[in-house]
């Protein structure tokens, strides 16, 4: 697990949230801000945990980011979850 793992999923979530914001504006603005702050916090938590060698906290933050990204799992830019083995 590296810092880039968290950055990739965070950037993916951020970009999809911005897409939603653009589609739903102005009604989606508050929901967008809340979700964007949550994703940023999770990204920071992941980076801090990786830097501190706390793999449990890093994995938890990463899984939370993937949970946020789940609604876009069929998007062509969806990052591969490093904790899930590739299909054979």
């Amino acid at each position: 697990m590296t810092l880039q793992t968290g950055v990739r999923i965070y950037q993916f979530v951020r970009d999809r949230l911005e897409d939603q914001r653009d589609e739903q504006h102005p009604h989606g603005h508050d929901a967008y801000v809340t979700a964007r702050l949550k994703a940023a916090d999770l990204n920071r938590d992941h980076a801090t945990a990786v830097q501190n060698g706390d793999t449990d906290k890093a994995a938890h933050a990463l899984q939370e980011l993937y949970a946020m990204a789940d609604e876009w799992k069929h998007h062509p830019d969806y990052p591969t979850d490093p904790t899930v083995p590739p299909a054979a």
Side-chain angles (χ1 to χ4, degrees), residues 29-87:
H29 183 74
D30 290 341
Y32 162 80
V33 169
T34 300
R36 175 78 187 260
L37 291 173
K38 178 181 178 184
D41 287 345
L42 288 168
N43 183 54
R44 184 182 58 246
D45 292 348
H46 176 263
T48 300
V50 168
Q51 289 175 336
N52 292 336
D54 190 337
T55 56
D56 289 339
K57 283 186 180 181
H60 177 74
L62 193 62
Q63 287 307 310
E64 290 288 322
L65 280 166
Y66 272 96
M68 289 183 76
D70 191 56
E71 68 181 287
W72 304 293
K73 64 184 169 191
H74 299 293
H75 190 281
D77 295 331
Y78 187 83
T80 304
D81 185 341
T83 63
V84 176

